[in-house]
């Protein structure tokens, strides 16, 4: 059998042949540009320019809590995709584990997040690439390569950035072409059979046109080993390319860009965290099948951390396999793995019309991702899921900026987007149960949930700035958004729909097709005051409002639409430089008010398929403090730090759930439609807010040492992300003691402990050869951690919880030639 190492090297050579040829050519050819001398070292901190208000400003005089990370800092911190940003930005948490494709990133900022962002359900933190809104979370995991900088704006950004910015926005700016010929090539290798190559080529194509081309390919073996399958899991292969053309004329600037990214892996790194003995023990519902020992041996804490990750059902091991329906057998034998394809095009045009500047941002984004995951993380076929979605969106934005007199400036614009997509999931449940079409039709059940989705959004906005005095400025802005959310469902399981599904045509036997349409409109605003106290000190206060769009529950029919979620906040900030610009300190205090909070709930559908749905779950409050600092104590040394402290809770009595409880005649409850059980209100306002780390910090140090041949740079950073809760639950007091025990266990499990990661990078610059050699490592302390404890179905009838395991210690070396 071919080794993983040989397989990955062969794949790398096949895909990277052209890159390798270019790398060899560049590494052996003379430099066409002057030798890149190490930049002159200074004790003063560099000035940082940001576009947090859709125009270029100095970071220290921008009245927004924003973190800006330039290309060199991104490379030092080893930021490869959006998930790595949580190691460098306060109040930012990014979860990646999900019972679907690994190509999802669930971004939460200041406690505003969404753990089920699909085509019909938008994220709470917007991601922009070169001004184009990225509608789906999968594109947040694409490679971050050849960037100018990344800006992370915290707090509601609804006025200038639009919908789905209740937590903030991530603004990714890729490197533009320049007229100077140059570029770089890089090859690298590391543990887990890591191999990679990349190049950047830049130069003038004519007097007015320049171009830039960047491409990379990389791959590695898996971080875990599946004993049942006899292979590793969570390997990854990625190919990326981006091209840009820039035209500069008299008062006109045009930038045309296009990019493509394909990422594949052979399964997420999951392991069983816990199982409910009430269900799987000798006296439990599934106890007769003797699964207790198998599940115990599969526990994450039982010693299988490095050797047992996941597996799918092996047909030969189950004598009931032949009796299962064909669609179930097809799903059982579908191999674990994930695939993400994403690409897009953009055209940014700027026209200087004298007193005003007109800007146009045209974009197209496509993403297609799917994955098969053994959701329970054991050899027992309790739940396997195949899920994914695709999305294509056209968007157009026009902006106009200008001023009236010497005291007033403004920005105004209009926006429109049209997105169409499909989301789906197919799952098998309880494959260990003997199948019988009459008595156990749900054994090995393959549930289908599929939806065609069409989303449109339109907005108009304006924001103005009036200079009250030389140092005191007033800002005010307003935006209005109109959304249309249309879906057509094709599901096996339905809630609230007659079993005959006579509302619409059935496409396939057992599949119910339903059409759903809803429209929303809502405002966003900004009102603030800032004060330039002196050239080194700046203070501001502002209040803002933003909304996350409403949508549909597509994984079961007949449920009502959920309304937009709204956040209003108050933020006070102080930015300062000290010691002749050697020390920078920025601090922000905030308090946010959330209303109509959208939350996930997990349940077992009447047909037996596990799914989740979303409701507006009352109101919540979050408050916190954020600090960012940088200091150059001596020549060549820079120290950086950031910290966030947050807390929050639901408003008392605002989150009420209607919970099914066995029994009748219970006080304060009503009977279900069959009259056999009760529906009881349950106050869930005492639960922890999901994905809200109460403490998070990062410490970094970089020392550059000049040498006779160039320079040597030493960088080290340590980041800590505090504990988080992902799916807390509350039982009705009328539930049985057994059920209440299961709920209590689920709450213990969903608490994901905090963890800290130590990373380092050493580089050697050889000026005469324009060569850089780097040695790097991540998680050097060998921290064993989980990015998420998934207990969503523990108390919902399936009785298990899964760990999504974090990356182990990785290290490597790279060789870069610049020309």
């Amino acid at each position: 059998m071919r080794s993983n190492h040989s397989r990955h090297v062969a794949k790398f050579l096949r895909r990277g042949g052209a890159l390798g040829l270019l790398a060899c050519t560049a590494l052996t050819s003379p430099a066409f540009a002057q030798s890149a001398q190490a930049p002159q070292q200074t004790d003063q901190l560099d000035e940082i320019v940001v576009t947090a208000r859709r125009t270029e400003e100095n970071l220290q005089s921008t009245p927004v809590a924003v973190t800006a990370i330039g290309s060199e800092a991104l490379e030092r911190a080893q930021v490869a995709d959006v998930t790595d940003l949580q190691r460098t930005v306060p109040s930012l948490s990014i979860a990646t584990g999900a019972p679907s494709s690994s190509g999802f990133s669930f971004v939460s900022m200041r406690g505003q997040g969404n753990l089920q962002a699909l085509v019909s359900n938008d994220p709470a933190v917007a991601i922009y690439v070169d001004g184009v809104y990225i509608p789906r979370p999968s594109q947040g995991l694409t490679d971050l390569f050849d960037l100018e900088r990344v800006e992370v704006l915290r707090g509601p950004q609804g006025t200038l950035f639009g919908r789905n910015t209740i937590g903030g926005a991530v603004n990714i700016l890729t490197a533009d072409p320049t007229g100077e010929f140059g570029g770089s090539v890089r090859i690298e290798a590391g543990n887990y059979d890591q191999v990679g190559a990349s190049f950047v080529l830049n130069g003038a194509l004519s007097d007015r046109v320049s171009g830039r081309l960047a491409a990379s390919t990389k791959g590695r073996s898996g971080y875990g080993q599946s004993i049942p399958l006899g292979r590793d899991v969570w390997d990854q292969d990625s190919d990326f390319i981006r091209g840009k053309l820039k035209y500069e004329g008299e008062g006109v600037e045009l930038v045309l860009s296009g990019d493509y990214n394909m990422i594949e892996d052979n399964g997420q790194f999951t392991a069983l965290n816990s199982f409910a003995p009430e269900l799987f023990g000798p006296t439990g519902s599934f106890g007769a099948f003797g699964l207790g020992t198998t599940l115990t041996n599969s526990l994450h804490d039982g010693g299988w951390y490095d050797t047992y990750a996941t597996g799918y059902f092996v047909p030969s091991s189950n004598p009931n396999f032949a009796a299962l329906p064909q669609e179930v057998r097809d799903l059982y034998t579908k191999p674990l793995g994930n695939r993400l394809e994403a690409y897009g095009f953009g055209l940014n045009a700027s026209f200087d019309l004298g007193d005003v500047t007109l800007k146009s941002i045209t974009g197209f984004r496509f993403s297609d991702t799917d994955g098969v995951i053994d959701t329970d993380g054991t050899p027992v076929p309790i739940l396997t899921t195949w899920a994914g979605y695709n999305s294509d969106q056209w968007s157009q934005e026009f902006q106009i900026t200008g001023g009236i007199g010497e005291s007033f400036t403004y920005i105004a614009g209009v926006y429109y987007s049209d997105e169409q997509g499909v989301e789906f999931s197919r799952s098998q449940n309880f494959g260990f149960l003997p199948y019988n079409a009459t008595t156990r039709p749900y054994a090995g059940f393959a549930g289908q949930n599929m939806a065609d989705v069409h989303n449109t959004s339109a907005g108009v906005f304006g924001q103005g700035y009036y200079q009250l005095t030389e140092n005191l400025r007033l800002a005010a802005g307003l935006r209005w958004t109109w959304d249309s959310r249309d879906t057509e469902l094709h599901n096996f399981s339905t809630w609230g729909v007659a079993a005959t599904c006579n509302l619409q045509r059935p496409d396939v036997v057992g599949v119910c097709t339903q059409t759903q349409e809803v429209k929303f409109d809502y405002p966003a605003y900004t009102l603030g005051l800032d004060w330039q106290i002196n050239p080194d000190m700046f203070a501001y206060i502002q209040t803002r409002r933003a909304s996350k769009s409403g949508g549909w529950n597509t994984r079961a029919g007949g449920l009502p639409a959920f309304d937009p979620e709204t956040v209003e906040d108050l933020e006070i900030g102080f930015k300062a430089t000290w010691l002749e610009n050697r020390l920078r300190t920025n601090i922000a205090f905030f308090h946010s008010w959330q209303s109509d909070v959208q939350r996930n709930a997990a349940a077992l559908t009447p047909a037996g398929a596990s799914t989740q749905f979303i409701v507006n779950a009352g109101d919540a409050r979050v408050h916190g403090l954020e600090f960012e600092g940088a200091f150059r104590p001596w020549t060549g040394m820079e120290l950086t730090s950031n910290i966030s402290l947050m807390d929050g809770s639901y408003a008392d009595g605002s989150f009420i759930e209607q919970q099914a409880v066995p029994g009748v005649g219970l006080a304060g409850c009503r009977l279900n439609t069959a009259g056999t059980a009760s529906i009881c209100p349950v106050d869930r306002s005492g639960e922890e807010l999901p994905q809200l780390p109460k403490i998070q910090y990062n410490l970094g140090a970089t020392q550059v040492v000049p040498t006779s041949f160039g320079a040597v740079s030493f960088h080290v950073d340590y980041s800590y992300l505090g504990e988080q809760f992902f799916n807390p639950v509350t039982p009705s007091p009328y539930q049985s003691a057994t059920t209440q025990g299961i709920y209590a266990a689920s709450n213990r499990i969903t608490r994901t402990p905090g963890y800290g990661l130590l990373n380092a990078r050493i580089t050697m610059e050889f000026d005469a050869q324009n060569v850089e050699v780097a040695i790097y490592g991540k998680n050097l302390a060998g921290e064993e951690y989980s990015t998420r404890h998934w207990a969503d179905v523990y108390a919902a009838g399936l009785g298990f919880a899964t760990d999504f395991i974090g990356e182990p210690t990785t290290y490597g070396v790279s060789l870069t030639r610049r020309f």
Side-chain angles (χ1 to χ4, degrees), residues 388-731:
Y389 71 82
N390 66 63
S391 158
D392 60 81
Q393 174 187 278
W394 286 97
S395 64
Q396 176 64 54
E397 182 171 355
F398 292 106
Q399 301 173 6
I400 186 169
T401 58
I404 301 175
E406 297 182 355
S407 300
F408 182 74
T409 59
Y410 63 86
I411 178 173
V414 294
Y415 173 87
Y416 181 79
S417 67
D418 188 297
E419 178 189 19
Q420 298 189 56
V422 175
E423 61 184 55
F424 74 93
S425 67
R426 289 180 63 84
S427 60
Q428 65 79 12
N429 299 335
F430 312 121
F432 57 87
L433 296 178
Y435 176 79
N436 184 292
T438 302
T439 61
R440 280 205 180 101
Y442 56 85
F445 175 82
Q448 171 179 299
N449 299 294
M450 180 177 290
D452 298 309
V453 181
H454 185 199
N455 302 323
T456 63
S457 183
V460 57
F461 66 92
Q463 186 156 307
Y465 312 96
Y466 185 74
Q467 207 73 39
L468 298 172
T469 69
E470 182 180 356
N471 298 319
L472 196 63
R473 179 174 54 181
L474 176 69
L478 180 67
R479 186 186 194 109
W480 210 279
T481 298
W482 295 266
D483 292 337
S484 174
R485 316 297 293 236
D486 302 338
T487 64
E488 186 175 81
L489 307 183
H490 314 281
N491 297 341
F492 279 156
S493 57
T494 59
W495 290 340
V497 176
T500 56
C501 192
N502 54 12
L503 299 181
Q504 295 288 337
R505 59 179 175 81
D507 294 280
V508 181
V509 176
V511 172
C512 177
T513 295
Q514 303 164 256
T515 299
Q516 303 177 132
E517 299 177 356
V518 68
K519 298 181 185 298
F520 305 105
D521 68 278
Y522 42 86
Y525 64 75
T526 297
L527 180 63
L529 189 68
D530 60 73
W531 178 28
Q532 189 71 56
I533 302 171
N534 60 44
D536 298 323
M537 297 183 181
F538 178 80
Y540 66 91
I541 182 171
Q542 62 181 339
T543 181
R544 299 164 296 186
R545 173 187 168 120
S547 295
K548 173 183 175 301
S549 183
W552 290 102
N553 293 282
T554 61
R555 293 189 175 181
L559 295 171
F562 51 89
D563 294 329
E565 177 179 344
T566 298
V567 172
E568 296 174 292
D569 86 331
L570 177 66
E571 179 177 294
I572 301 173
F574 177 73
K575 302 182 177 185
T577 56
W578 316 81
L579 304 176
E580 298 180 340
N581 199 30
R582 292 169 54 204
L583 172 65
R584 179 168 55 233
T585 59
N586 295 342
I587 190 169
F589 303 88
F590 70 90
H591 188 103
S592 64
W593 293 263
Q594 301 171 247
S595 57
D596 292 322
V597 175
Q598 298 169 4
R599 285 291 180 258
N600 297 325
L604 204 63
T605 68
S610 177
T611 188
Q612 300 181 52
F613 63 91
I614 303 160
V615 296
N616 293 103
D619 306 324
R621 310 286 183 260
V622 178
H623 57 272
L625 173 152
E626 299 160 345
F627 171 84
E628 295 181 279
F631 181 42
R632 291 190 175 175
W634 60 77
T635 302
M637 168 62 80
E638 182 170 337
L639 304 174
T640 58
S641 65
N642 64 63
I643 186 172
S644 60
L645 303 173
M646 297 187 293
D647 202 357
S649 62
Y650 292 104
D652 291 343
S654 67
F655 186 3
I656 305 297
E657 178 181 73
Q658 301 298 322
Q659 196 172 110
V661 179
V664 297
L666 304 177
C669 305
R670 58 181 175 83
L671 291 177
N672 65 3
T673 54
T676 57
S678 298
I679 304 296
C680 301
V682 177
D683 186 354
R684 298 182 58 183
S685 304
E687 294 177 359
E688 296 280 353
L689 295 181
Q691 213 175 351
L692 177 68
K694 295 184 178 181
I695 182 170
Q696 183 177 0
Y697 62 85
N698 172 270
L699 304 172
T702 304
Q703 176 68 62
V704 180
V705 180
T707 66
S708 59
F709 55 80
V712 178
S713 175
F714 303 89
H715 172 81
V716 63
D717 62 72
Y718 179 82
S719 60
Y720 179 80
L721 182 68
E723 72 173 18
Q724 301 176 81
F725 295 82
F726 285 93
N727 187 51
V729 291
T730 301

